[in-house]
Amino acid sequence: MIENATRPRYKAIVEALELAIRSKQLYPGQQLPTQRALARALRVSVQTVSKAYVEAQRRGLTTGAVGRGTFVQYARINQSESLAHNRGTNVLDFANLAPVVSDLHLSALKQALINLAKDPACLLERPSAQELALHRQAGVAWLERNGIDVIAEEVIITNGAAHGVWMTMASTVGIGDVVATEALAAPSIIINASRLKLRLRGIELDEEGIIPEALEEAHRREPFKLLCITPCYNNPTVSLMKEPRRAKIADIARRYGMLILEHDVFGPLIPRRPKPIWHFAPERTFYVSSLSSTLMSSLRAGYMVGPATTISRILSHLPVTESMGNTWAAEVAARWIFDGTADLMIDWQRKKLEMRNNMVAKILNHSDVASHLHAMHIWLHLPEQWRSRHFVEQARSRGLLVASPESFIVGRAAEPHAVRIALGDTNREDHQFAQGIQLISTLLHEPPGPISALY
């Protein structure tokens, strides 16, 4: 990339750095290599790298001081603008998994904030989870839509599903314990297990998710206390578990004394959805749901339930996690559930995803794609000539971001030759979405190009 650049090499380095920041390979606050180390890696002079670092700092990409090093700069926001007006326009992002949003969502959020402004007292206090009676009742209504029948006292309000995953793991297993999950799992599950110093074990899966026989065999080899499972639209494989297998998984858990963490963030999108695993084993299942994964990604609100004997233990972990810091989100979520806005948004999301999944099926009609009509992502198996990392890089060079399988792999399993394509929010306009899928289709049928040596 640098060697073949037609522009000055220092500018090529700056542009590559800018692309890495924009595509989230580099994050604000991350330290960059020393000038000498980068020069050695790129086989250019230290003077060239020095000039590139000066130019990067001039453009606001980096910051640094003598003796400290060079760091990726945090975004400088114009106070007259909102973050929404600073979205990148030169990249088609199919890596960000989030609900599609529209004027319907913006109008509803605007009205909700106006209503809160009329009575802002609820936002000035920070009540405990037990004190939020109406919010917990909203949780009952939301969970009932997903096949969970509980009372308000059994509902725990969370800052989204990842928070529920953390609390379940923190209250059921200890440092060094083994937790089982799908061989390819959501990053939030992998990250939470790592932070809690748990040993995560991946279980073989197919188009319905975890294979029961593989689960039993894994437990015989190395017993585990907790099984973390995503039965509805596994991230990234889009597997959807049918009810008979859910019942079988519940039976295995009961026979071997396992607890179950049911990570059900996409279940609300499925019309006439299968009964949750909780239905088959409520005495040992922790059920975690979220509005941010189906209504609006900025609405960090969710609900969880667990066996009655564990409620007090879970609640004891809430103060550690600052769970109620997002009181406004819980308030908006409750109002939308009670007034029907949440149901309206779910219905709108289903129709939009139907349209986009049909569009994907038409454009990628000769490709090996795992998908479901109401799923928010697809799992694209790559042709023989492609490897996932190479495909991700080549897509990025054309202004396309797709998710590499690397962040979903549990343990040291082989990297699958597939990528996750998100159908959601970043490509808000349908014509942008269609343009990106067409570019992906074109790339699939081309021979791989050279691999960049910069990052």
Side-chain angles (χ1 to χ4, degrees):
M1 183 176 178
I2 300 300
E3 292 85 347
N4 300 327
T6 57
R7 57 208 178 286
R9 288 188 173 186
Y10 84 91
K11 286 189 176 181
I13 294 173
V14 175
E15 289 169 9
L17 176 62
E18 186 171 12
L19 180 59
I21 294 171
R22 193 166 62 236
S23 63
K24 300 178 183 177
Q25 281 188 293
L26 295 175
Y27 291 89
Q30 185 173 343
Q31 187 170 12
L32 298 179
T34 64
Q35 294 180 16
R36 188 172 299 279
L38 186 57
R40 186 165 52 249
L42 299 180
R43 297 181 182 178
V44 298
S45 68
V46 174
Q47 290 78 8
T48 296
V49 174
S50 177
K51 193 172 182 180
Y53 274 22
V54 170
E55 176 63 16
Q57 188 163 347
R58 186 190 69 79
R59 295 188 189 185
L61 300 174
T62 63
T63 183
V66 176
R68 282 200 319 117
T70 301
F71 299 82
V72 177
Q73 174 71 285
Y74 284 83
R76 298 173 181 174
I77 303 301
N78 186 331
Q79 293 187 359
S80 65
E81 299 178 348
S82 70
L83 286 171
H85 290 113
N86 287 276
R87 299 171 64 135
T89 56
N90 298 323
V91 174
L92 293 172
D93 188 349
F94 290 88
N96 181 43
L97 190 58
V100 189
V101 296
S102 67
D103 290 341
L104 165 71
H105 299 75
L106 299 178
S107 177
L109 182 59
K110 180 179 179 180
Q111 188 59 53
L113 294 177
I114 289 173
N115 292 338
L116 288 179
K118 294 177 182 177
D119 182 23
C122 64
L123 305 182
L124 298 178
E125 299 179 0
R126 198 170 156 210
S128 68
Q130 297 94 316
E131 294 173 324
L132 294 172
L134 286 176
H135 290 184
R136 296 176 88 181
Q137 196 60 52
V140 170
W142 175 261
L143 293 168
E144 185 178 23
R145 290 162 167 80
N146 296 290
I148 306 293
D149 184 17
V150 292
I151 60 175
E153 289 71 23
E154 296 172 324
V155 175
I156 298 173
I157 300 167
T158 69
N159 275 345
H163 180 219
V165 169
W166 187 94
M167 285 196 296
T168 301
M169 290 181 173
S171 61
T172 58
V173 289
I175 293 175
D177 284 348
V178 177
V179 174
T181 189
E182 292 94 341
L184 294 169
S188 61
I189 294 171
I190 298 172
I191 291 169
N192 276 315
S194 175
R195 287 174 175 170
L196 291 168
K197 296 180 170 55
L198 305 176
R199 293 185 292 150
L200 208 56
R201 294 291 180 266
I203 310 297
E204 184 181 355
L205 68 166
D206 59 17
E207 68 279 357
E208 281 195 51
I210 281 180
I211 300 172
E213 294 75 14
L215 176 63
E216 285 196 87
E217 178 58 30
H219 187 272
R220 291 192 194 103
R221 290 197 310 267
E222 187 175 27
F224 44 83
K225 185 177 180 180
L226 179 66
L227 167 65
C228 186
I229 189 168
T230 306
C232 292
Y233 300 157
N234 164 268
N235 181 17
T237 68
V238 208
S239 62
L240 176 60
M241 189 175 290
K242 296 178 182 177
E243 279 188 19
R245 184 175 293 191
R246 294 174 186 235
K248 194 168 185 179
I249 293 290
D251 181 62
I252 291 172
R254 188 176 289 113
R255 283 192 285 114
Y256 289 99
M258 301 175 197
L259 296 172
I260 300 171
L261 168 53
E262 185 170 6
H263 182 246
D264 192 33
V265 291
F266 301 121
L269 293 172
I270 305 174
R272 299 177 298 281
R273 54 161 295 166
K275 292 176 183 176
I277 295 176
W278 180 92
H279 172 84
F280 300 100
E283 82 286 353
R284 64 185 58 255
T285 303
F286 298 82
Y287 178 90
V288 174
S289 184
S290 169
L291 278 73
S292 56
S293 298
T294 50
L295 267 64
M296 185 182 295
S297 59
S298 60
L299 190 64
R300 305 302 300 174
Y303 307 101
M304 69 174 290
V305 296
T309 56
T310 66
I311 298 299
S312 59
R313 189 162 72 249
I314 295 173
L315 288 174
S316 70
H317 286 84
L318 286 174
V320 183
T321 64
E322 300 289 333
S323 68
M324 294 314 300
N326 211 351
T327 311
W328 77 268
E331 182 73 18
V332 171
R335 295 187 185 203
W336 282 358
I337 291 169
F338 286 136
D339 69 15
T341 300
D343 291 329
L344 182 66
M345 287 183 173
I346 288 290
D347 185 60
W348 184 95
Q349 194 72 215
R350 287 172 178 167
K351 292 176 180 176
K352 176 62 72 172
L353 290 172
E354 285 181 16
M355 185 273 290
R356 290 197 170 184
N357 273 291
N358 284 328
M359 188 184 299
V360 167
K362 183 177 181 180
I363 296 175
L364 301 180
N365 62 333
H366 295 301
S367 300
D368 185 359
V369 178
S371 66
H372 282 280
L373 193 58
H374 300 100
M376 206 169 284
H377 61 286
I378 65 170
W379 184 234
L380 175 60
H381 297 275
L382 299 174
E384 186 176 351
Q385 74 269 23
W386 285 104
R387 294 296 178 265
S388 55
R389 293 186 186 184
H390 199 177
F391 186 86
V392 169
E393 181 182 278
Q394 291 294 306
R396 186 183 299 115
S397 71
R398 302 182 187 204
L400 291 165
L401 301 183
V402 299
S404 164
E406 187 175 3
S407 59
F408 307 104
I409 297 173
V410 175
R412 298 183 179 180
E415 185 171 294
H417 301 311
V419 293
R420 191 198 67 188
I421 308 294
L423 311 186
D425 171 63
T426 306
N427 300 294
R428 187 169 296 171
E429 302 298 331
D430 290 334
H431 73 275
Q432 287 182 323
F433 178 82
Q435 176 190 355
I437 296 297
Q438 187 60 61
L439 288 171
I440 290 171
S441 177
T442 301
L443 183 58
L444 283 171
H445 295 93
E446 292 182 2
I451 299 177
S452 167
L454 179 54
Y455 292 106

